């Protein structure tokens, strides 16, 4: 009891010193919206957020649900996007997209969306099946619209990835769709993204960044995709083209 009385004044003094520091940290801590604004600027600012088209090419590795060896390797992997400037749904198809994966002369798969119809190398995809597919794959681009009315950015507990300290922010779209973004505390690059899908919890990790100019664009050249913690595929982008012309016929579904 005597020891408690002896140290009580010291403990109170330390507590009093700690309180202003904690309050100052709380007052200066960035909000979710402020963090996403920093990420937007690091990614390329308005030029990134308002991009019209994107063409990417590289290679990809695809894994199965069991085993450790790849089920397919695409040495020629390409994606073309025409963005929807009014996008409001995080995890549904938007704009136009075409993806082709080839291994040598062999077609691994292809998928396209012309704004209404989804199709693959097997033909037109029924809408219900297409909706499930896009709900498991679309999600990153919604961050470009984070500052618009109807979107809510909520800061979540900080995290770390591969030695990089991250701000974690949950972005909720006007329809209630949620996406969790991990933003590098130093560079403000977007290093992770995650959301719930019909296939489980989907997470993407981004690395090996390169900054392009005219327009300014921060591109991750290594993207790793997971479902429920299991690695599903890796993509290695080697060429990036922003706002280039894309032939509209590229998105047309096959004639059945």
């Amino acid at each position: 009891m005597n020891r408690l009385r002896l140290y009580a004044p010291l403990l109170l003094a330390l507590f009093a010193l700690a309180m202003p520091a904690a309050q100052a940290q709380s007052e200066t801590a960035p909000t979710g919206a402020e963090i996403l604004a920093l990420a937007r600027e690091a990614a390329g600012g308005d030029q990134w957020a308002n991009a019209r088209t994107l063409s990417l090419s590289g290679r990809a590795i695809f894994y199965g649900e069991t085993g450790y060896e790849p089920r397919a390797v695409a040495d020629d992997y390409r994606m073309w996007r025409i963005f929807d400037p009014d996008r409001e749904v995080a995890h549904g198809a938007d704009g136009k997209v075409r993806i082709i994966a080839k291994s040598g002369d062999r077609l691994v798969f292809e998928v396209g969306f012309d704004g209404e119809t989804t199709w693959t190398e097997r033909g037109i995809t029924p809408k219900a099946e297409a909706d499930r597919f896009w709900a498991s794959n679309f999600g990153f681009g919604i961050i470009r619209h984070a500052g618009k009315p109807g979107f809510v950015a909520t800061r979540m507990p900080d995290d770390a990835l591969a030695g990089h300290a991250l701000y974690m922010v949950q972005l909720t779209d006007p329809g209630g769709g949620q996406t969790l973004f991990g933003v590098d505390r130093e560079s403000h690059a977007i290093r992770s993204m995650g959301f719930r899908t019909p296939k489980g919890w989907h997470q993407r990790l981004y690395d090996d960044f390169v900054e392009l100019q005219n327009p300014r664009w921060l591109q991750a050249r290594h993207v790793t995709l997971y479902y429920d913690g299991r690695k599903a595929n890796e993509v290695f982008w080697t060429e990036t083209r922003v706002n280039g012309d894309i032939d509209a016929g590229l998105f047309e579904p096959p004639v059945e």
Side-chain angles (χ1 to χ4, degrees):
M1 181 64 68
N2 291 335
R3 288 184 178 180
L4 287 176
R5 290 177 179 174
L6 178 63
Y7 290 116
L10 178 60
L11 292 174
L12 289 173
L14 291 174
F15 182 74
L17 289 173
M19 283 297 292
Q23 290 174 352
Q25 182 178 4
S26 176
E27 291 172 358
T28 60
T31 65
E34 290 170 340
I35 292 167
L36 294 191
L38 293 171
R40 172 193 174 103
E41 179 58 29
D46 289 344
Q47 294 179 324
W48 170 79
N50 300 320
R52 296 177 291 102
T53 69
L54 175 65
S55 303
L56 295 167
S57 62
R59 61 186 181 89
I61 304 172
F62 302 91
Y63 299 91
E65 293 186 1
T66 59
Y68 68 94
E69 294 183 347
R71 64 175 176 83
V73 176
D75 50 45
D76 186 357
Y77 187 67
R78 299 172 186 265
M79 182 178 72
W80 297 264
R81 290 292 313 276
I82 295 180
F83 296 114
D84 178 3
D86 300 315
R87 181 177 180 180
E88 291 188 346
V89 178
H91 310 302
D94 78 287
K96 298 181 180 182
V97 61
R98 174 82 180 274
I99 300 172
I100 299 177
K102 291 184 177 181
S103 179
D105 294 331
R106 181 177 67 87
L107 179 66
V108 177
F109 73 87
E110 66 177 314
V111 61
F113 177 70
D114 66 355
E116 295 182 0
T117 302
T118 298
W119 52 274
T120 71
E121 71 279 6
R122 299 185 299 274
I124 304 298
T125 304
K127 187 177 186 308
E129 181 182 340
D131 288 345
R132 288 194 298 272
F133 173 80
W134 294 121
S136 296
N137 290 278
F138 266 32
F140 178 87
I142 198 66
I143 196 173
R144 295 188 178 91
H145 306 270
K148 295 180 179 179
F151 288 84
V152 178
T154 305
R155 184 168 176 182
M156 307 299 284
D158 294 345
D159 207 342
L161 174 65
H164 301 281
L166 302 180
Y167 292 121
M168 302 302 296
V169 180
Q170 179 175 275
L171 178 63
T172 303
D173 68 32
Q178 296 179 333
T179 311
L180 183 65
F181 289 96
V183 178
D184 192 302
R185 290 177 65 106
E186 292 187 5
S187 69
H188 302 143
I190 302 164
R191 288 195 172 272
S192 73
M193 178 204 70
F195 57 94
R196 299 192 184 282
T197 80
K199 293 173 59 176
W201 177 257
H202 177 42
Q203 184 180 32
R204 297 181 203 170
L205 307 183
Y206 302 93
D207 203 359
D208 189 18
F209 292 92
V210 59
E211 186 170 4
L212 311 177
Q213 300 296 330
N214 300 318
R216 191 162 64 88
W217 182 277
L218 187 65
Q219 178 63 47
R221 292 182 290 189
H222 184 192
V223 184
T224 309
L225 295 83
Y226 297 83
Y227 289 94
D228 283 340
R230 294 178 297 184
K231 184 161 66 174
N233 57 296
E234 290 182 271
V235 180
F236 302 88
W237 298 120
T238 55
E239 295 184 19
T240 304
R241 186 183 183 195
V242 183
N243 290 340
D245 293 332
I246 300 178
D247 183 357
L250 192 68
F251 306 100
E252 293 180 359
V255 178
E256 294 189 329

